[in-house]
Amino acid sequence: MSQSFKFGFEDDNVKKDDIPENEAPKDAGESVLEDAPGSGLLPTLHDLDEILVAFPSNIQYNTIQLDHPDHGTVVLPRRELFDIRAQIMAEDATLDELKAGISADDIKPNIYEGGFKTWECSIDLANYILSCAPEMSESLTRACTVIELGAGTAIPTLILFQFLLRSTPPTDPPRRTLVLADYNASVLHLATIPNLFLTYAMAVKLIPPTSADLEITSTLISSFKQGLAERNIDIRVISGSWGAPLASLIVHARSASEGLPFRNTLILASETIYSPASTLAFTACLMETMRGCEGEGGKARALVAAKMVYFGVGGGIDEFLSVLKEKGGEGNSVWETKGMGYGVGRCIREVTPRAGC
């Protein structure tokens, strides 16, 4: 069932956390292209410094624990959802995406795409990455790019970021670029980047590996930025709809990272194919991004984690593989679990451009 490629992947056992197990997000919309998160929000590149300056005075967080028999235990911090909601309400936000983010709905098509919550398949993908720790860590010693599409709470990226932070910075480290992309700018500002910040604080032992709150100071922000610079880690933050403009901006952000040599790209995604509409938009964007990255040098691979089927809205892995084939890609199974009882099976597919396409 499993196979590997040089960004290092093998099988893993999933440890469930307190992650919602909805077969499909609530209010996912009808199976029409207009409802896809690729329907018109222009992509925007956000300044990391501006996001950091806008942090609240305190961030409350909980933790997710991942266990692997060979690679030990990893604890990842993530900002508490109630803390995000408290900030939204305190700022008296009027944006529709922010109001949707504190509602009972999982998503609001073309307004809010569910990024404040951690979805089950993102935990699958993080566990899978942990199972490949030696290969992943070795790959990260060279110049490379990691892109997470539909990043949300960014749990899979946090694993790789932790690998980078825990390694001893070499004298002249190669450039490693992390690109975090999500439909909603608010998700990136209030969840994605705070989670990377918390991961840094925990990796350098500024906060305990338990639920707590962190006081945000200018000294801590400076330490975070210095830690990135010492390890030559470049973080790019992009919001917008899935589509050719987003793919183009991602590729540009990757190549704009100061005189990059030939390097490989890993793309991560989870729970992005929950309806036929989202599948079409996501797959087109994925393949466009992969081809753009390969056109600038190196190989591109993707890991896509999803449920086998999303009941009620028509999405699922078969639909994804069909669209992927049409778009010139192929997806091989590297991890899979069958549903137990009324549960839904889940899988991870390694996606590559098909030769000659």
Side-chain angles (χ1 to χ4, degrees):
M1 182 67 69
S2 67
Q3 61 182 58
S4 63
F5 57 87
K6 197 49 191 168
F7 225 115
F9 305 113
E10 293 180 0
D11 273 343
D12 178 35
N13 296 315
V14 170
K15 180 181 185 300
K16 287 193 176 182
D17 193 16
D18 57 336
I19 307 305
E21 296 190 33
N22 310 48
E23 280 82 2
K26 288 184 286 184
D27 203 12
E30 298 297 323
S31 300
V32 291
L33 188 57
E34 303 89 77
D35 283 339
S39 303
L41 190 61
L42 291 176
T44 302
L45 181 65
H46 300 264
D47 185 89
L48 180 62
D49 287 344
E50 291 180 2
I51 297 175
L52 295 173
V53 168
F55 272 6
S57 58
N58 283 274
I59 292 178
Q60 292 181 285
Y61 66 92
N62 58 28
T63 60
I64 296 174
Q65 180 173 305
L66 306 178
D67 298 299
H68 190 274
D70 296 325
H71 307 310
T73 297
V74 170
V75 177
L76 297 175
R78 93 189 137 172
R79 190 178 184 188
E80 289 274 16
L81 183 55
F82 74 77
D83 192 48
I84 295 172
R85 287 171 169 164
Q87 182 178 347
I88 291 172
M89 290 186 288
E91 294 177 353
D92 192 25
T94 56
L95 288 175
D96 286 342
E97 67 179 75
L98 291 178
K99 290 188 289 186
I102 60 174
S103 74
D105 295 315
D106 290 333
I107 71 167
K108 287 284 189 182
N110 296 322
I111 296 175
Y112 165 69
E113 292 294 330
F116 289 133
K117 298 180 181 179
T118 298
W119 299 95
E120 187 177 20
C121 290
S122 69
I123 301 298
D124 291 339
L125 187 49
N127 268 301
Y128 183 68
I129 291 170
L130 177 59
S131 76
C132 311
E135 300 97 322
M136 287 284 192
S137 297
E138 194 275 332
S139 293
L140 291 169
T141 63
R142 300 187 297 275
C144 61
T145 300
V146 175
I147 300 165
E148 187 164 359
L149 295 176
T153 57
I155 301 301
T157 296
L158 297 187
I159 286 274
L160 295 172
F161 188 46
Q162 192 174 90
F163 290 166
L164 286 171
L165 294 172
R166 289 186 171 178
S167 61
T168 302
T171 304
D172 186 21
R175 174 59 57 92
R176 281 73 59 88
T177 302
L178 305 180
V179 181
L180 289 308
D182 196 274
Y183 183 82
N184 297 111
S186 60
V187 168
L188 295 163
H189 285 242
L190 301 177
T192 312
I193 298 305
N195 284 352
L196 263 74
F197 190 83
L198 289 166
T199 299
Y200 168 79
M202 187 172 289
V204 298
K205 304 188 186 309
L206 295 176
I207 57 175
T210 57
S211 299
D213 67 281
L214 173 65
E215 181 182 0
I216 306 300
T217 65
S218 58
T219 301
L220 186 55
I221 290 176
S222 295
S223 173
F224 174 71
K225 293 162 66 173
Q226 182 179 349
L228 296 180
E230 288 175 349
R231 295 165 177 82
N232 206 0
I233 300 171
D234 186 24
I235 296 177
R236 299 298 174 113
V237 186
I238 300 174
S239 65
S241 306
W242 289 327
L246 178 64
S248 178
L249 184 56
I250 289 172
V251 173
H252 173 75
R254 169 188 179 271
S255 62
S257 256
E258 297 183 30
L260 292 172
F262 175 96
R263 63 177 179 168
N264 292 334
T265 298
L266 173 65
I267 302 174
L268 306 172
S270 54
E271 306 275 21
T272 52
I273 57 170
Y274 52 80
S275 71
S278 67
T279 300
L280 283 170
F282 165 75
T283 309
C285 184
L286 173 65
M287 293 308 300
E288 188 96 7
T289 302
M290 295 178 76
R291 290 195 182 95
C293 291
E294 289 199 337
E296 301 214 344
K299 294 293 184 181
R301 299 286 188 273
L303 290 174
V304 178
K307 293 183 175 69
M308 294 295 191
V309 61
Y310 291 86
F311 291 117
V313 287
I317 201 65
D318 288 342
E319 175 81 10
F320 170 63
L321 292 175
S322 176
V323 175
L324 184 63
K325 184 177 181 180
E326 292 176 6
K327 301 294 182 183
E330 55 187 7
N332 298 313
S333 179
V334 294
W335 180 90
E336 184 176 314
T337 181
K338 292 180 169 56
M340 302 295 290
Y342 292 102
V344 178
R346 307 186 307 278
C347 68
I348 299 172
R349 294 284 175 151
E350 175 196 331
V351 176
T352 57
R354 198 165 61 247
C357 292

